[in-house]
Amino acid sequence: MPLDTIRLNETPEGVDLGLRVAGPAPRALALAADGAIRLVILLALSPLSALSGLGLGLNLIAVFLLEWLYPVTFEVLYGATPGKRAMGLLVVHDDGTPVGLSASLIRNLLRVVDFFPLFYGVGLVCTLVDRDFRRLGDLAAGTLVVHAQRRSTGARAGRTHAGGTPAPPGLPIATQQAILAFCERARRLSGARRIELAETLLAHLPSPATGPARARGWAAVEQVEGYGTWLASGRAGD
């Protein structure tokens, strides 16, 4: 069983993107939280049972929607169910990109198998023997449950770039993640490696029509760190 839960993925820009995979304990707590939320919703709908056959039918529809659409909807729209978000977890593809509809459907359909023989017995065994703590649904869908990146990355970079530099519009999620990963790890790299990676990242960005020109050398490092500060501030979606 590996003690290091960091999974490294090399992005097309040549930057190792670190993903801290979540173990069985936080995932079980998230599952319990989501179960409690669904139970509260079902209890709130229980008065419908007074409508006899119609009420029973509505309750069965509610059970179906909560069991199958609840996790898929939240994972596709927000990256995690409310229970996972409360535990600081995210569901992503195994390359670190946000989970899509097909992958979310596959991983949640296979919850039936993971549940056997009782209370996710198969799923628990799978998470304990897999190096990335994946259950069968994750293995089939190519997904991971990871701890969300902390904003402290941007805060550290912000000591030298308080306002940050607006990144070029329309950056893919993978590129944004590569910039943030660079900012997190830059101070542990040699100066030459920092410059090399910063210039490589900038070479993959669209040429700016306005704002600072594409820099070289240490100016490239500062420019990428400025982009990282701006992205970490959550203004990428402004």
Side-chain angles (χ1 to χ4, degrees):
M1 179 67 62
L3 295 179
D4 185 1
T5 61
I6 301 295
R7 176 186 172 124
L8 295 178
N9 287 314
E10 185 174 358
T11 69
E13 291 79 8
V15 177
D16 287 333
L17 175 63
L19 299 173
R20 191 157 66 95
V21 295
R27 294 182 65 166
L29 292 174
L31 179 66
D34 285 322
I37 292 172
R38 283 184 280 194
L39 179 61
V40 168
I41 295 174
L42 288 176
L43 290 176
L45 296 175
S46 60
L48 292 175
S49 300
L51 300 177
S52 187
L54 175 61
L56 177 61
L58 292 175
N59 273 319
L60 290 176
I61 291 173
V63 170
F64 174 82
L65 294 177
L66 286 172
E67 183 64 26
W68 297 109
L69 295 187
Y70 171 94
V72 174
T73 301
F74 280 107
E75 286 177 4
V76 173
L77 293 180
Y78 305 108
T81 59
K84 286 187 175 65
R85 291 180 68 86
M87 296 301 300
L89 306 179
L90 282 176
V91 181
V92 297
H93 290 125
D94 51 16
D95 61 359
T97 57
V99 68
L101 177 61
S102 59
S104 181
L105 282 172
I106 292 171
R107 74 182 302 275
N108 282 291
L109 284 173
L110 286 178
R111 281 189 297 126
V112 176
V113 180
D114 285 312
F115 188 82
F116 286 126
L118 196 64
F119 298 119
Y120 284 92
V122 172
L124 177 60
V125 171
C126 286
T127 57
L128 291 177
V129 300
D130 183 76
R131 64 184 298 273
D132 291 325
F133 304 118
R134 291 173 294 182
R135 59 177 176 82
L136 282 180
D138 291 315
L139 290 169
T143 56
L144 292 171
V145 179
V146 301
H147 292 276
Q149 294 285 343
R150 297 176 179 176
R151 293 294 188 187
S152 57
T153 298
R156 285 199 298 273
R159 285 199 291 268
T160 54
H161 301 275
T165 303
L171 284 185
I173 294 296
T175 303
Q176 295 181 33
Q177 291 172 330
I179 291 173
L180 292 172
F182 172 84
C183 293
E184 183 177 15
R185 301 185 61 220
R187 285 164 178 74
R188 285 176 280 169
L189 304 175
S190 66
R193 183 62 172 157
R194 289 170 68 179
I195 292 173
E196 177 188 1
L197 289 176
E199 291 180 346
T200 301
L201 278 169
L202 291 181
H204 285 79
L205 302 185
S207 299
T210 59
R214 187 170 294 158
R216 306 285 298 177
W218 283 106
V221 175
E222 293 181 358
Q223 187 167 342
V224 174
E225 289 184 338
Y227 289 157
T229 301
W230 187 82
L231 291 170
S233 70
R235 284 177 286 179
D238 289 353

